[in-house]
Every structure is written in C-alpha cells, then in structure tokens.
C-alpha cells in the first residue's frame, strides 16, 4: 500500500498517544476524501497488531505482520457495505460484535476499521454503541468519516475525535509534480477544486478527466455569450453530473468573488476570462440565486432514487437561460428548482 508524505507526522502523533498510554480505544477519524487515509489506518492497525513493535514501527517480521502484509489477518476487521449497496446494515455489525467477544486468534489485539461510519444505518449504529463504549479487552475501533455531523451524537460521544488536515499547498504541489508533468496553474486549480486533497487533485488532473472539465468551461464561455444555456445539456448529462455541476457552481462562486474584487481567492485560476464574463453577465444577487439553484439540483441528483437526470438538468438550464435573458426574476428561478 502506498504511503504519502503528509501522513508521517499524523502517524507519529497517533502512535505516540498509544505509546504514552493515552491512546483511545475508539478513534473517530475525520478525513476528507483523497487524503490516503486508508494507508494511515493500515499502518496504525499493523502497529497495534504487531507482536514485536520496533518503537513507532511495526516489526514487519512477526506472524501478525506477515498476515497483515498478506491481507488476511483474522483479527483485523474491515466493515463496509457490500458491493452495490450504499449503506451498512445491522446484520454485519451483529456478526462483528459476536466475533469480537471471542478470543483473539493471534493472541493479541483486535482492530476494527469502518472506513465510512456515516454509512451505518441507525439500527446498525445503535447496535454498535454498547461495544463501542465497553469493548472487549485489547479491541480498537478506527472509525473513518467525511462528515462527523451526519453521525449519531451517541456514536461521536463515545469516540476520540481526530482530524487529519490537508497538507500545505506547497507540499501537495511538490508531490503532484513528482507524479505527473503538468503546468503550475492547473495544479493549483485542481488542488483548490478538491479542497486541498492531493489524491483527489491528482485524479482530477488525469488527462481525460481534465479534458472533460475544460470542455465544459469552453462550452459555458460560448453559450454564456449567446445566452443559449440549454446547449450545456450535452456537457452536463453524464453519470458524473454531480461533479460537473460542482465545477459549474465553483465558477459561479468565483464570479461572485470577482465582483467583490477578491480574485485572489478564486478556485478556477485557469478560467479567469470565463469568470470575468460570468461576473459581467449576472448581478451579485442573481449569481447567488444561480449557485443556490444549481446546488439544489445537485442535491436532488444525489439523494432522489430514480430521478430523471436529463429532465432535471433541462429544467434547470432553461430557467437559468430565462433568468439571464431577463424573462423571469431570480426569486422565480430559485423557487422553480423546489418543485
């Protein structure tokens, strides 16, 4: 498993707490997507399970380490939804709890990793509570989450909250430049669009993906001049429509910053002519209404099962086009998306 330079200091911090006897049995790890937290959890789990620890490192030679390297350690439990499901039900949690109350098969610690704890159903989360509060001896829980606020308060209260911050931009830029050859403005833009998460930025910078974003920007520039926003449908109506709407909304937010003479804070550094055009095409109020409407549209795509994506996007684009032409008021544009 790959290791990333921004994980070394947090790893030492966590290990140091356990070495000093202050390590909590349940750590709630708040980590943004694209930070490589699975490598951090794997390293910490190996250390906790290692039978002959070498300071802050696992020995790599004991039977426990060998099992971890092989990926089949019987006392390392990874709990995540089955393929094709987006939630984690109560049955796997009950099976896990039953297993934890048995003796450790390797005679040492037992470690549970739940990569996305927010995917637990309410019943599953409640089933976990008692064990989380009073676990069997030598049992550790590493609970990953993207949004701690989405977890039950009872889960949060039983854990030690720990946040993995994104690395300094200079470190991320240096790391990305070692992975691929691209221009500095694109690297800066990708990092800003992914909230500073290096792996997500690198994924966005992959040639085909970056080409898709640039194509949307180019089409938006043309159609904004012609006020023919419906022509953007071919650029938006894809399986990753939520990502593309996010790109669009980020440009509108940048246009608001541009109007406020805060260009140094924009995300899309490679699209300044487009941002200036958007800033001149709409008032500040209508830009804010546009961002709100697009984010509501995005939320509908992500949350409504079986939603007609093409119809939803068509309605949104038509109302946006009408607003740009002055045919409807911004308040009507916003209320239209609530239907």
């Amino acid at each position: 498993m790959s290791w990333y330079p921004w994980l070394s200091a947090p790893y030492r911090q966590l290990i140091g707490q356990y070495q000093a006897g202050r390590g909590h049995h349940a750590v709630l790890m708040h980590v943004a997507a694209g930070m490589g937290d699975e490598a951090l959890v794997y390293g910490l789990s190996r250390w906790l399970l290692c039978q002959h620890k070498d300071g802050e490192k696992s020995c790599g030679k004991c039977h426990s380490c060998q099992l971890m390297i092989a990926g089949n350690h019987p006392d390392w439990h990874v709990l995540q939804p089955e393929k094709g499901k987006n939630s984690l039900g109560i049955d796997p949690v009950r099976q896990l709890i039953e297993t934890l109350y048995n003796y450790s098969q390797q005679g040492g610690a037992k470690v549970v990793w739940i990569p996305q704890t927010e995917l637990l159903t309410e019943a599953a989360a409640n089933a976990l509570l008692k064990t989380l509060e009073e676990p069997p001896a030598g049992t550790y829980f590493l609970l990953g989450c993207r949004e701690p606020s989405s977890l039950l308060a009872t889960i949060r209260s039983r854990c030690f909250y720990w946040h993995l911050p994104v690395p300094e931009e200079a470190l991320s830029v240096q790391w990305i430049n070692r992975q691929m050859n691209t221009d500095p403005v694109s690297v800066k833009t990708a990092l800003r669009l992914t909230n500073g998460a290096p792996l997500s930025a690198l994924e966005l910078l992959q040639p085909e993906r970056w080409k898709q974003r640039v194509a949307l920007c180019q089409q938006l520039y043309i159609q904004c001049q012609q006020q023919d926003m419906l022509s953007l449908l071919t650029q938006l109506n894809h399986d990753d429509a939520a990502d593309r709407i996010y790109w669009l909304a980020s440009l509108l937010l940048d246009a608001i910053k541009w109007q406020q003479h805060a260009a140094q804070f924009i995300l899309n550094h490679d699209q300044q002519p487009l941002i200036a055009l958007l800033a001149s095409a709409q008032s500040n109020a209508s830009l804010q209404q546009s961002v709100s409407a697009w984010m509501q549209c995005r939320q509908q795509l992500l949350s409504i099962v079986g939603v007609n994506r093409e119809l939803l996007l068509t309605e949104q684009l038509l109302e946006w086009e009408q607003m740009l032409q002055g045919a409807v008021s911004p308040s009507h544009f916003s209320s239209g998306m609530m239907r």
Side-chain angles (χ1 to χ4, degrees):
M1 184 175 291
S2 298
W3 187 258
Y4 307 104
W6 56 87
L7 299 179
S8 296
Y11 172 82
R12 289 192 295 268
Q13 177 191 358
L14 286 168
I15 295 296
Q17 291 180 359
Y18 287 105
Q19 288 177 317
R22 299 193 305 270
H24 201 282
H25 70 270
V27 180
L28 179 61
M29 308 178 76
H30 178 196
V31 187
M35 285 290 292
D37 49 305
E38 62 277 3
L40 178 63
V41 171
Y42 173 80
L44 179 58
S45 299
R46 265 188 63 170
W47 187 87
L48 289 169
L49 291 165
C50 180
Q51 296 163 341
H52 304 291
K53 298 176 178 62
D54 181 15
E56 64 184 25
K57 298 180 180 179
S58 52
C59 71
K61 299 175 182 178
C62 69
H63 187 52
S64 185
C65 283
Q66 291 301 307
L67 287 170
M68 283 294 287
I69 293 170
N72 55 9
H73 198 299
D75 296 318
W76 190 45
H77 308 279
V78 182
L79 200 60
Q80 52 190 345
E82 296 177 7
K83 189 175 182 180
K85 294 186 178 181
N86 57 7
S87 65
L88 189 53
I90 192 171
D91 289 340
V93 172
R94 284 175 172 167
Q95 292 171 9
L96 170 69
I97 292 171
E98 183 179 346
T99 301
L100 292 177
Y101 279 96
N102 294 327
Y103 286 108
S104 164
Q105 294 193 37
Q106 292 300 306
K110 289 168 283 188
V111 179
V112 177
W113 178 31
I114 306 181
Q116 288 185 270
T117 311
E118 57 264 55
L119 298 184
L120 286 168
T121 64
E122 186 172 349
N126 285 324
L128 187 64
L129 286 176
K130 182 172 177 56
T131 307
L132 201 57
E133 185 172 13
E134 298 178 4
T139 300
Y140 300 92
F141 288 89
L142 304 175
L143 309 182
C145 71
R146 305 300 184 212
E147 294 291 340
S149 60
S150 64
L151 299 177
L152 292 178
T154 45
I155 289 283
R156 298 199 304 269
S157 67
R158 285 161 171 77
C159 300
F160 170 73
Y161 172 83
W162 185 82
H163 177 241
L164 177 64
V166 297
E168 294 289 334
E169 188 173 273
L171 175 62
S172 297
V173 168
Q174 186 182 52
W175 180 80
I176 290 173
N177 286 335
R178 288 200 298 266
Q179 312 307 311
M180 66 184 304
N181 183 24
T182 190
D183 66 280
V185 175
S186 294
V187 173
K188 185 176 184 179
T189 299
L191 281 167
R192 298 289 174 88
L193 285 172
T194 56
N195 298 312
L199 296 180
S200 293
L202 183 64
E203 182 180 353
L204 177 57
L205 284 166
Q206 295 307 305
E208 185 58 33
R209 190 64 170 157
W210 194 251
K211 181 180 177 182
Q212 292 166 356
R213 174 185 165 272
V214 171
L216 173 62
C217 294
Q218 291 173 339
Q219 189 72 6
L220 177 59
Y221 188 89
I222 294 170
Q223 303 312 327
C224 188
Q225 291 176 307
Q226 299 176 355
Q227 294 189 348
D228 177 20
M229 311 315 288
L230 187 59
S231 295
L232 288 172
L233 183 62
T234 55
Q235 291 290 341
L236 293 172
N237 190 22
H238 294 268
D239 291 340
D240 63 342
D243 291 339
R244 295 175 187 238
I245 290 175
Y246 168 72
W247 297 340
L248 176 56
S250 74
L251 289 161
L252 295 171
L253 284 169
D254 280 347
I256 294 174
K257 297 170 190 175
W258 193 275
Q259 289 180 342
Q260 300 297 321
H261 307 290
Q264 68 270 31
F265 298 112
I266 66 174
L267 304 182
N268 299 273
H269 283 267
D270 63 335
Q271 297 296 328
Q272 294 191 34
L274 172 56
I275 293 167
L277 177 62
L278 290 169
S280 64
Q282 292 183 248
S283 67
N284 187 273
S286 65
L287 278 170
Q288 292 187 45
Q289 295 285 358
S290 298
V291 172
S292 177
W294 274 115
M295 294 311 290
Q296 289 175 25
C297 177
R298 183 177 185 270
Q299 183 59 32
Q300 287 177 305
L301 283 174
L302 292 172
S303 60
I304 300 176
V305 178
V307 66
N308 187 324
R309 184 179 67 210
E310 183 173 0
L311 182 61
L312 185 66
L313 290 170
T314 299
E315 179 184 2
Q316 167 66 19
L317 286 165
L318 283 173
E319 295 203 18
W320 193 26
E321 180 179 306
Q322 289 175 338
M323 189 188 70
L324 286 172
Q325 295 171 350
V328 295
S329 67
S331 60
H332 178 76
F333 174 65
S334 180
S335 62
M337 285 309 302
M338 298 300 291
R339 292 197 297 267

